[in-house]
Amino acid sequence: MALLKKVNQILFLLIVLTVCVILYSKIQKGNKTESKAVHSFKSDTENESHEEAEEEEEEIPVVICAAAGRVGAAMAAINSIYSNTDANVVFYIVGLKNSLPHIRKWIEHSKLKSINFKIIEFNPMVLKGKIRQDSSRPELLQPLNFVRFYLPLLIHHHEKVIYLDDDVIVQGDIQELYNTILTPGHSAAFSDDCDIPSTHEMVRSVGMQNTYMGFLDYRKQTVRELGISPSTCSFNPGVFVANITEWKKQRITKQLEKWMEKNVEENLYSSALGGGVATPPMLIVFYKKHSTLNPLWHIRHLGWSPDNRHSDHFLQEAKLLHWNGRFKPWDYPSSHFELWEKWYLPDPLGKYRLIRPNN
């Protein structure tokens, strides 16, 4: 019995060893096959990545809104950017649901059919309870005016983003604006309203404000408690470069929403003041926390008076022109509309027409 038991133990060990040898052999074979496949894949990937690194440029994301009655304005802005750069620009065109087919049709039936673009629907429900109804300038209460507050919700794959209002024309290479250096800790760069001496006289002549006093109601305790001098130079948020990572880190969107809700409760600012209702929250949140754009990249106030005139030399030097104000270049009367009209693309559906003296 002892002998039989010993034989069984030896047989069991031999079976175990045989199974181990078979498993080891299969694993080694599998590893060789996998190693070969992985090596081949990595090699191909490295080659492709190297080639792509040489061929592909960094994408420059540009966010611009296209409201139903102003799609032509957005198309003119996009055309001016596309025509003045060789950079790899991606246009994020934001609209409400009813205007999206028109936007796509305009692009696909014009010279813009070659651009790299994404059309994004903005849901105005995100603004529920955050906008105080104000009848003095109802156009400033349109949902798309607040898209700039929600950039991280629209842009997911970019560290840096350019935001532009639709009433601009770009005359320089957008790459230059994108290359704006933001101070560490800043989530955006704007152009201060006191940085262009040549516009100071025009600002005074048409009664515009370029300080915080023109945007916030300093009679309110909440505004005074901010500790911001009413004579502090303001900035225009119609053109800016944003660092999305820093924006998220500082929870900028939440901060902006907080001041929107406070305005609903306390009426801290209104569209009767200088910049409507989208500018004041940004002035508060970015106070002493923003970098500065090159002034030539935001020549603004062109829409504040139809009699406003700049020298031809000054306008030619400008990298970006902004018709902020009531007098838009697609309407009449307006100033320097010829500089805008050269970039205008006719509406393929015939819905959008320029207002001119002869029509």
Side-chain angles (χ1 to χ4, degrees):
M1 288 294 295
L3 180 62
L4 182 60
K5 185 177 180 181
K6 192 170 183 179
V7 170
N8 287 338
Q9 287 176 342
I10 293 171
L11 288 173
F12 178 76
L13 287 174
L14 287 173
I15 291 171
V16 170
L17 287 172
T18 302
V19 170
C20 288
V21 169
I22 292 171
L23 288 174
Y24 179 78
S25 176
K26 287 185 176 181
I27 291 171
Q28 285 296 98
K29 184 178 180 181
N31 282 345
K32 287 179 181 178
T33 304
E34 182 179 337
S35 176
K36 183 177 180 181
V38 170
H39 177 73
S40 175
F41 178 77
K42 283 185 177 179
S43 176
D44 291 342
T45 302
E46 286 168 1
N47 289 339
E48 288 174 7
S49 297
H50 181 68
E51 291 173 3
E52 287 175 2
E54 291 182 344
E55 294 176 4
E56 285 192 13
E57 302 173 73
E58 181 181 12
E59 288 185 341
I60 298 180
V62 175
V63 176
I64 189 165
C65 295
R70 295 168 56 143
V71 177
M75 296 301 115
I78 291 169
N79 186 28
S80 69
I81 297 168
Y82 175 64
S83 301
N84 286 306
T85 187
D86 291 324
N88 183 19
V89 181
V90 181
F91 294 98
Y92 288 82
I93 307 167
V94 187
L96 300 182
K97 186 175 183 178
N98 63 341
S99 64
L100 302 187
H102 194 188
I103 294 170
R104 184 173 297 279
K105 183 77 71 173
W106 208 316
I107 292 173
E108 293 176 348
H109 290 80
S110 71
K111 63 178 287 189
L112 298 181
K113 60 187 176 185
S114 300
I115 68 171
N116 187 2
F117 71 101
K118 297 178 182 179
I119 297 176
I120 301 174
E121 178 185 350
F122 183 69
N123 185 354
M125 289 303 295
V126 74
L127 302 172
K128 187 176 181 180
K130 300 182 181 71
I131 301 178
R132 184 184 183 88
Q133 294 306 308
D134 189 332
S135 60
S136 57
R137 287 194 68 185
E139 74 275 13
L140 297 177
L141 301 178
Q142 295 301 315
L144 294 181
N145 279 331
F146 302 92
V147 163
R148 71 198 85 193
F149 291 7
Y150 297 95
L151 292 182
L153 301 182
L154 305 173
I155 307 296
H156 305 290
H157 307 295
H158 299 285
E159 171 81 9
K160 201 174 183 182
V161 174
I162 295 172
Y163 173 87
L164 301 177
D165 276 352
D166 63 358
D167 51 356
V168 306
I169 287 299
V170 173
Q171 300 185 139
D173 188 336
I174 200 71
Q175 179 78 57
E176 186 180 328
L177 179 60
Y178 184 76
N179 290 343
T180 298
I181 297 175
L182 274 67
T183 302
H186 287 176
S187 59
F190 304 93
S191 188
D192 290 333
D193 282 332
C194 303
D195 61 9
I196 309 176
S198 61
T199 65
H200 290 177
E201 182 58 39
M202 184 268 291
V203 167
R204 288 191 292 269
S205 67
V206 298
M208 285 189 301
Q209 292 288 341
N210 59 1
T211 65
Y212 274 58
M213 181 179 286
F215 297 88
L216 302 176
D217 188 348
Y218 275 84
R219 296 171 299 178
K220 302 297 173 65
Q221 182 68 21
T222 300
V223 172
R224 295 197 299 272
E225 288 176 352
L226 289 169
I228 302 174
S229 169
S231 62
T232 301
C233 186
S234 57
F235 59 81
N236 184 294
V239 174
F240 64 90
V241 178
N243 181 315
I244 297 299
T245 301
E246 198 65 41
W247 189 293
K248 291 178 181 177
K249 180 181 176 181
Q250 298 181 28
R251 296 172 62 85
I252 296 297
T253 297
K254 287 295 182 184
Q255 292 187 57
L256 293 167
E257 288 185 325
K258 181 188 83 170
W259 285 103
M260 292 171 74
E261 290 165 356
K262 275 186 173 292
N263 184 57
V264 172
E265 298 168 1
E266 304 179 42
N267 194 21
L268 304 177
Y269 50 83
S270 77
S271 62
L273 296 175
V277 295
T279 299
M282 300 194 82
L283 291 178
I284 295 171
V285 172
F286 288 102
Y287 173 64
K288 289 189 174 181
K289 295 179 182 177
H290 68 275
S291 300
T292 305
L293 298 179
N294 179 336
L296 290 177
W297 269 102
H298 196 178
I299 301 302
R300 52 205 176 277
H301 310 318
L302 299 182
W304 275 86
S305 169
D307 301 320
N308 166 34
R309 304 300 297 178
H310 290 294
S311 71
D312 290 341
H313 175 73
F314 177 73
L315 294 172
Q316 288 169 6
E317 291 293 313
K319 305 288 187 178
L320 181 148
L321 301 174
H322 187 185
W323 280 264
N324 58 308
R326 296 175 183 267
F327 300 94
K328 303 302 184 186
W330 54 85
D331 211 338
Y332 184 84
S334 59
S335 68
H336 301 295
F337 63 83
E338 68 284 353
L339 296 176
W340 179 89
E341 193 169 340
K342 66 185 288 189
W343 302 110
Y344 173 70
L345 298 171
D347 181 2
L349 299 182
K351 294 180 179 180
Y352 189 95
R353 291 186 176 87
L354 304 182
I355 306 301
R356 294 294 179 256
N358 58 359
N359 64 4

